[in-house]
Amino acid sequence: MAKTSVPEDPDEGRSANGVQAVERVVQALEILAKEGSAAVGDVAERMGVHKSTASRILSALEGHGFVQQSSRRGKYQLGVGLLRVASSIPRRLSLVHTARPVLEDLAQRYGETVNLAVRRDVYAVNVDQAMGSANLATFDWIGNLTPLYATSSGKVFLAYLHSTARAELLQRVELTALTPHTLNREQLEKELPAIVERGYASTRGELEDGLNAIAAPVFAHTGDLIGAVSLSGPAFRFDPSDADVVKAVVGAGEEITELMGGPTPDSLRR
């Protein structure tokens, strides 16, 4: 019986070449993103291709505005055409929508309340909340304005403000003692630099007696601080200095930052 031959897919070889071409385009863009600018020969060497191949890739990208020749003759850098593509991304990245799964995971893990806050002038306002199973009450913090100086999220916002902006803001705020544990101005200003250094802020009964909390920053794709994620609970069972808790909250902030296209932890520490 004659063997039936299977016809070859005429697009198979073309598809493989197409994938390789896309990979090379991406590779070229990543090289320029890392180096800032590079000559055709340098790009070719980094890609492991012939100089003529790199030249064709860069010329095609230049035609679409994705790369452009810099003032230094023969060198290429990323072009403004990429902004047209990238500018549509932030509009689709809703902080609340993006952070929600992270908040729920953190609340489920510790059984306590997790809040996502943004800054509104001299207040921190909670824009989302996930409740843990260990909560004695289901107080809804969403929409509540809380003073920056007495909350873990608020301390994060203060700590990452430029020193001039922070000084101006604190001049407009009377640091009213809300509990016996509320920090005074001198104590607060002494603590803020340490918050940036360690990457989180905590409170122990400073907003409400018996309520502890810890918060970590969330950054946007621009590198700007856009929010803070916090975990809070009653003092008798929740210790914000517990190493596991610190790691989890800081990790939650870094995860949301990554989802928002923000900087990596390593780049923030430089």
Side-chain angles (χ1 to χ4, degrees), residues 43-58:
V43 173
E45 184 178 353
R46 292 283 304 277
M47 293 176 64
V49 299
H50 194 275
K51 186 175 180 179
S52 61
T53 300
S55 180
R56 285 196 300 270
I57 292 171
L58 292 171

Side-chain angles (χ1 to χ4, degrees), residues 78-142:
L78 296 181
V80 295
L82 287 173
L83 295 177
R84 295 195 304 269
V85 178
S87 62
S88 64
I89 296 175
R91 293 194 294 270
R92 298 197 304 269
L93 290 177
S94 162
L95 175 59
V96 172
H97 175 75
T98 302
R100 185 66 193 177
V102 181
L103 305 188
E104 291 177 342
D105 287 347
L106 192 59
Q108 183 177 16
R109 178 175 176 182
Y110 290 98
E112 304 291 358
T113 302
V114 178
N115 279 293
L116 179 68
V118 297
R119 183 171 76 89
R120 184 178 298 171
D121 194 26
V122 298
Y123 297 101
V125 55
N126 293 299
V127 293
D128 199 12
Q129 176 177 280
M131 303 297 294
S133 59
N135 285 287
L136 298 176
T138 56
F139 183 79
D140 188 356
W141 287 95
I142 297 179

Side-chain angles (χ1 to χ4, degrees), residues 42-257:
D42 295 330
V43 173
E45 184 178 353
R46 292 283 304 277
M47 293 176 64
V49 299
H50 194 275
K51 186 175 180 179
S52 61
T53 300
S55 180
R56 285 196 300 270
I57 292 171
L58 292 171
S59 294
L61 288 170
E62 186 177 21
H64 292 281
F66 293 148
V67 303
Q68 62 190 44
Q69 286 192 292
S70 66
S71 57
R72 288 173 289 179
R73 183 174 177 81
K75 290 199 172 186
Y76 285 86
Q77 61 187 21
L78 296 181
V80 295
L82 287 173
L83 295 177
R84 295 195 304 269
V85 178
S87 62
S88 64
I89 296 175
R91 293 194 294 270
R92 298 197 304 269
L93 290 177
S94 162
L95 175 59
V96 172
H97 175 75
T98 302
R100 185 66 193 177
V102 181
L103 305 188
E104 291 177 342
D105 287 347
L106 192 59
Q108 183 177 16
R109 178 175 176 182
Y110 290 98
E112 304 291 358
T113 302
V114 178
N115 279 293
L116 179 68
V118 297
R119 183 171 76 89
R120 184 178 298 171
D121 194 26
V122 298
Y123 297 101
V125 55
N126 293 299
V127 293
D128 199 12
Q129 176 177 280
M131 303 297 294
S133 59
N135 285 287
L136 298 176
T138 56
F139 183 79
D140 188 356
W141 287 95
I142 297 179
N144 278 29
L145 298 175
T146 54
L148 296 178
Y149 66 88
T151 60
S152 57
S153 293
K155 286 182 180 180
V156 167
F157 295 128
L158 286 173
Y160 283 88
L161 273 177
H162 187 276
S163 57
T164 303
R166 181 170 63 237
E168 186 276 330
L169 185 149
L170 288 175
Q171 283 180 354
R172 298 188 285 114
V173 178
E174 183 178 353
L175 274 62
T176 304
L178 304 175
T179 76
H181 308 290
T182 304
L183 302 185
N184 59 36
R185 192 175 301 272
E186 183 180 353
Q187 292 170 322
L188 178 66
E189 292 179 348
K190 183 178 180 180
E191 183 179 339
L192 294 178
I195 291 171
V196 176
E197 185 176 342
R198 64 179 181 242
Y200 69 91
S202 62
T203 55
R204 293 179 180 271
E206 296 166 39
L207 177 67
E208 292 185 7
D209 208 2
L211 179 67
N212 293 347
I214 176 174
V218 174
F219 299 93
H221 69 288
T222 58
D224 296 325
L225 181 70
I226 55 170
V229 56
S230 67
L231 179 65
S232 61
F236 70 84
R237 70 172 181 232
F238 182 72
D239 180 2
S241 64
D242 178 87
D244 186 63
V245 169
V246 170
K247 183 178 180 180
V249 174
V250 171
E254 291 175 351
E255 183 176 358
I256 299 171
T257 293

